[in-house]
Amino acid sequence: MNRRFAYYAWGLLAYNILVVLWGAFVRATGSGAGCGSHWPLCNGEVIPKSLQVETLIEYSHRLTSGILGILVLVLVIWAFRAFAKGDDAQEGGAQGTGIRRASLWTLFFIITEAAIGAGLVKMEWVAADTSVERVYTMVFHLLNTFFLLTANTLVAWFASGGKPFSLRGQAGLGVAFGAAFLGMIALGATGAIAALGDTLYLTLGVTPEDSPLVKTLVSLRIYHPLLAFVSFALIYVAIRVLAAYHPNSRALRYGYWVVGLFIVQLLCGGLNVYLKAPAWMQLIHLFITDIIWILLVVTAASALAIPQTRRESHYQSYRQTTTA
C-alpha cells in the first residue's frame, strides 16, 4: 500500500468537500453573478479589480475549483505511475486497476463539474434568475457532485487497502444498497430544488407572487423532508441486510455510522426549516449529506468486497438463528 498516495487521496477528498461547500455558499448568498457572464475570466479580467463582496466570493470559488482540477490531474498521473494494472490473480494488480479507473472517473467528473459551472455562468442562470433550465441544471450539478465524491472516495478506499468488489452473487445485498443510493439521489435532487427556492425567496426576495417558478419551488418543498424519511428507511433496510450477511464486519460498523449521521441530518433539516434556511445552516446540512454519501460508498464497497464463501457462511448462520 502506498501510504503517501492514500493520504493524498483522502486529503483531496476533504478539499473536494470544501470546494463543494464554497460553491453552495456562492449560490446561498446569490453571488453567482459576481463575475458577470464571463468564464473563465472574471468580468473580462484575469484578476478582477472590483472589490465587491459578490465578486470576491465568486472569484475565490473559481480559484479553489481551478486548484482542485490541478490536484485531480496530479492524482491521475500519480495513480498511473505508482500502481500497476492487473487482474485478481496478480497481487496488488486488482487494487491498482481500481485506483486507475477511479482516478480517471474523478478527472471526468471534475471536468463535467467545471462545465456545468461554466454553463450556469454563461447562460446567466445565477443570482435571482428564475428560469426552469436553472432548476434542471442545479439538480444535475448536485448529482454530478455525488458521482465526483464517489470516484474520489473509491480512489482513497482502494489506496488504503480496499479490496475489489463485485455485484455478482450478492443476493439481496446489492439490491438493498442500490435502493439506498437511489433514495439518496432522489433526496439530493429535491434538496437542490428546495435550496434554490430558499435562495430565491428567503435570501433574494423573489416572492411566489413575483415568479411562477418560485411559487412552484415553494410548493414542492414538502417533498424533500418526506423523501428524507423514505431515504432513511431504505438505508436502514440496507444496513439490516448487511447485518444479516456480515454481523461482525467493519462494513457494518461503517453502516451504523451512516444511520447515526442520518438521524443527526434529520434533526438539522428540521432546524434549517425553523431558522428559515440561513446560509451557514445550509452549509452544515450539505456537509453532513456529503459525509453520509461518502460513508455509504465506503460501506457498500466494504460489504461487496467480502468473499462469497464468507457471505454465505454468515447468511446461513443468521437464517438458522432467526428460524430457531
Side-chain angles (χ1 to χ4, degrees):
M1 182 176 67
N2 190 323
R3 291 188 179 274
R4 288 191 300 170
F5 181 85
Y7 291 149
Y8 180 84
W10 287 116
L12 177 63
L13 181 61
Y15 182 70
N16 208 334
I17 293 174
L18 289 176
V19 173
V20 170
L21 293 178
W22 193 250
F25 183 71
V26 172
R27 187 262 312 147
T29 57
S31 303
C35 288
S37 60
H38 300 87
W39 194 95
L41 300 178
C42 184
N43 292 323
E45 302 169 322
V46 176
I47 301 177
K49 298 177 182 178
S50 173
L51 296 180
Q52 292 183 354
V53 175
E54 292 82 3
T55 301
L56 293 176
I57 292 174
E58 169 65 10
Y59 186 67
S60 62
H61 177 55
R62 294 191 186 188
L63 283 179
T64 55
S65 299
I67 293 172
L68 178 61
I70 295 173
L71 294 177
V72 169
L73 187 59
V74 171
L75 179 81
V76 174
I77 295 173
W78 194 350
F80 274 76
R81 290 178 62 89
F83 296 93
K85 181 180 179 181
D87 54 33
D88 293 343
Q90 297 174 296
E91 185 177 359
Q95 281 85 355
T97 299
I99 290 171
R100 286 180 166 206
R101 289 176 178 173
S103 67
L104 286 175
W105 279 114
T106 304
L107 178 61
F108 173 80
F109 286 119
I110 202 67
I111 292 173
T112 54
E113 192 87 336
I116 295 170
L120 286 169
V121 171
K122 298 294 288 185
M123 300 302 295
E124 299 184 354
W125 295 334
V126 292
D129 176 73
T130 56
S131 62
V132 176
E133 292 82 3
R134 182 183 184 184
V135 178
Y136 291 118
T137 306
M138 292 298 295
V139 170
F140 187 69
H141 202 358
L142 187 281
L143 299 183
N144 191 83
T145 298
F146 274 171
F147 298 147
L148 171 61
L149 294 178
T150 298
N152 194 164
T153 299
L154 290 178
V155 174
W157 185 77
F158 279 126
S160 300
K163 304 299 181 183
F165 55 88
S166 173
L167 294 175
R168 294 180 181 178
Q170 300 294 338
L173 198 58
V175 173
F177 274 106
F181 279 113
L182 287 176
M184 280 293 295
I185 288 174
L187 181 62
T190 56
I193 293 173
L196 179 58
D198 289 339
T199 298
L200 292 172
Y201 182 31
L202 300 176
T203 302
L204 300 177
V206 182
T207 66
E209 291 74 21
D210 297 330
S211 168
L213 178 69
V214 172
K215 183 178 181 180
T216 301
L217 294 179
V218 171
S219 66
L220 291 175
R221 204 181 194 290
I222 186 61
Y223 292 104
H224 182 58
L226 292 177
L227 274 172
F229 287 101
V230 173
S231 181
F232 176 73
L234 292 173
I235 288 177
Y236 182 76
V237 169
I239 302 308
R240 291 295 299 168
V241 174
L242 174 59
Y245 281 83
H246 315 304
N248 301 310
S249 66
R250 179 181 297 180
L252 184 58
R253 292 195 292 272
Y254 294 148
Y256 289 148
W257 274 102
V258 174
V259 172
L261 270 179
F262 209 111
I263 293 174
V264 173
Q265 180 72 315
L266 291 174
L267 297 175
C268 287
L271 183 60
N272 187 47
V273 173
Y274 176 76
L275 295 176
K276 295 185 177 179
W280 63 270
M281 193 65 225
Q282 291 186 49
L283 296 185
I284 292 175
H285 200 44
L286 178 59
F287 174 72
I288 298 176
T289 298
D290 290 342
I291 298 301
I292 290 173
W293 179 269
I294 290 168
L295 276 175
L296 190 61
V297 170
V298 172
T299 303
S302 300
L304 296 174
I306 296 177
Q308 174 73 23
T309 54
R310 185 177 168 189
R311 286 197 302 271
E312 293 175 349
S313 175
H314 282 316
Y315 184 67
Q316 290 300 327
S317 298
Y318 174 78
R319 292 290 295 172
Q320 291 174 5
T321 302
T322 55
T323 57

